[in-house]
Amino acid sequence: MADDTTTTGTPAPGGATPVQPELLALRERIDSVDRELLALLNRRAGLALAVGELKKKEGSVVFRPEREAQVIDGLKSANPGPLKNDNVAPIWREIMSACRALETPTRVAYLGPAGTFSEEAALGYFGSSIVKVPCASMDEVMRTTAAGAADFGVMPVENSTEGGVARTLDLFLTSPLFIIGETSLIVRHNLLRKDNALAGIHTVAAHPQALAQCHGWLSHHLPDVERRPVSSNAEGARLAALDAGIAGIASLRAAAEFGLHVVSPAIQDDAHNRTRFAIVTHPDRHPAPKASGHDCTSLVVSVPNKPGAMHDLLVPLKEHGVSMTRFESRPARSGQWEYFFYIDLDGHPDEPRMNTALHALRETCAFFKVLGAYPVDVH
């Protein structure tokens, strides 16, 4: 923070009011605390490097999502304030990201280009000290991560307005990747354009999910305008930067990235619109997270086409006290009106009750696949 004066009572250039001695004293104390923080952060980085050396010797991985979740949960529990708990997770994710980068940079694939909500989710979960690997489609995110060109992939799973992201759910069926973490993002859609006006727009370009999440606003304010689905919201913003007649729906990051005006902010129909993202990786390169004490287990199953099959699916969960937090169906595309069911359960397979329930559940299913067991989102 820049001071207004160089000495107490001496005006800054331009005749600014002299800074009060009390303010100067507080600034000096803040500067002193900042230097203490820097010293402590460097001590932490040194310890992280020592941990990294031990991990190299034993052949274990650098990133442990359950460990980071436990660290953040512990800090929030011990936080006396006035710093709000909502600010603890982002601060410490950046600290841990910077420490991890001293060992091995983490490569993260996500739906690009720059300015997408997927990029924002990647930075929010892993911190900014990563190697970003933007991809042209969600299929490419999965392929890039499966091939080892990225250590992790970030995939949108569901939206609070539109439900499950169909393409992601379909990809999970056959992909060798599994989920090791999750993060959720408040999604505020903004109408972006070269000109700062609604007049003259002939096309709104955005990802199909964004167009759906803004259906009401678009129908009221731009009822006769073409809605053009594109691969990502950032792609819509890129097109808007090339043609004054095109508006994009995207984030404020995308507006800054492509030099666009925010013609109308927050045009999503749901003011509390959130998107949940799954963090995926290959089991050959990263072990499954251990129980953190606050976990989710994700499955995809199908049941035999017979009376009572759905009842049989739910009985093991009830009998063993396992809570189901999400249940969604997708057609199996067999032409026989068969479905796959995507289920989230509260708990981890390391817990006896969950382990027993999963074994009983497997016996009732025609198809059974664990997509991952991982710490729930730490805000």
Side-chain angles (χ1 to χ4, degrees):
M1 183 183 296
D3 283 343
D4 300 289
T5 65
T6 54
T7 59
T8 303
T10 302
T17 304
V19 178
Q20 297 301 314
E22 294 86 355
L23 180 58
L24 283 173
L26 287 171
R27 286 176 174 172
E28 288 173 1
R29 289 171 64 184
I30 287 174
D31 290 344
S32 176
V33 170
D34 285 344
R35 285 189 288 271
E36 290 177 34
L37 283 173
L38 182 60
L40 289 171
L41 288 173
N42 276 302
R43 279 180 58 192
R44 190 194 192 283
L47 292 170
L49 284 172
V51 169
E53 289 301 316
L54 290 176
K55 286 184 174 181
K56 285 178 184 177
K57 290 178 182 177
E58 65 182 26
S60 59
V61 294
V62 171
F63 177 62
R64 296 305 301 247
E66 70 275 25
R67 167 61 181 159
E68 296 202 355
Q70 289 168 345
V71 168
I72 292 171
D73 279 340
L75 288 167
K76 288 165 69 174
S77 297
N79 179 29
L83 190 68
K84 294 180 179 179
N85 267 354
D86 287 347
N87 300 123
V88 169
I91 291 170
W92 257 266
R93 286 202 186 279
E94 282 296 336
I95 291 170
M96 291 186 285
S97 176
C99 290
R100 283 199 308 273
L102 293 173
E103 302 173 57
T104 305
T106 304
R107 300 165 298 169
V108 182
Y110 58 87
L111 179 64
T116 62
F117 289 110
S118 291
E119 180 190 46
E120 191 173 336
L123 293 172
Y125 186 83
F126 289 101
S128 58
S129 300
I130 61 172
V131 177
K132 296 188 285 186
V133 186
C135 299
S137 67
M138 288 185 284
D139 296 57
E140 187 181 336
V141 173
M142 293 292 246
R143 285 195 299 268
T144 298
T145 309
D151 301 304
F152 302 96
V154 177
M155 298 289 292
V157 176
E158 64 175 329
N159 175 262
S160 59
T161 302
E162 290 299 305
V165 180
R167 187 57 190 156
T168 297
L169 298 182
D170 290 343
L171 287 168
F172 277 149
L173 272 175
T174 56
S175 173
L177 305 181
F178 74 116
I179 304 171
I180 56 93
E182 67 166 14
T183 187
S184 64
L185 194 67
I186 295 176
V187 174
R188 293 187 175 91
H189 292 304
N190 307 282
L191 191 75
L192 310 181
R193 192 186 176 202
K194 287 179 72 173
D195 298 334
N196 195 12
L198 288 175
I201 297 173
H202 59 71
T203 301
V204 174
H207 189 274
Q209 281 266 334
L211 293 172
Q213 292 162 26
C214 302
H215 171 79
W217 191 95
L218 292 172
S219 297
H220 179 74
H221 294 277
L222 297 170
D224 301 320
V225 167
E226 175 197 355
R227 301 179 193 180
R228 183 184 300 173
V230 293
S231 61
S232 70
N233 291 335
E235 174 62 14
R238 188 188 71 82
L239 294 174
L242 299 175
D243 185 340
I246 297 177
I249 297 176
S251 66
L252 295 178
R253 286 176 61 88
E257 182 75 24
F258 295 100
L260 298 170
H261 291 285
V262 179
V263 180
S264 291
I267 66 171
Q268 69 279 356
D269 297 334
D270 179 2
H272 305 289
N273 187 33
R274 297 186 75 95
T275 295
R276 178 183 173 216
F277 296 83
I279 313 302
V280 298
T281 189
H282 198 286
D284 288 347
R285 291 189 297 275
H286 200 285
K290 301 294 184 182
S292 70
H294 197 195
D295 302 286
C296 174
T297 298
S298 294
L299 316 171
V300 55
V301 305
S302 67
V303 295
N305 188 8
K306 66 178 185 180
M310 285 303 299
H311 173 268
D312 294 343
L313 179 68
L314 300 176
V315 165
L317 304 180
K318 177 178 174 58
E319 287 182 343
H320 299 287
V322 175
S323 176
M324 181 168 58
T325 58
R326 177 168 173 253
F327 185 89
E328 186 161 349
S329 64
R330 286 284 298 153
R333 299 184 179 181
S334 63
Q336 302 298 317
W337 301 106
E338 296 173 332
Y339 291 85
F340 288 107
F341 300 99
Y342 293 81
I343 302 172
D344 284 350
L345 303 176
D346 183 12
H348 192 281
D350 288 349
E351 301 166 5
R353 64 183 179 87
M354 176 69 84
N355 190 277
T356 305
L358 290 178
H359 277 91
L361 185 61
R362 188 187 296 267
E363 296 300 316
T364 71
C365 296
F367 177 87
F368 181 94
K369 181 181 181 182
V370 176
L371 299 178
Y374 46 92
V376 298
D377 185 24
V378 178
H379 293 291

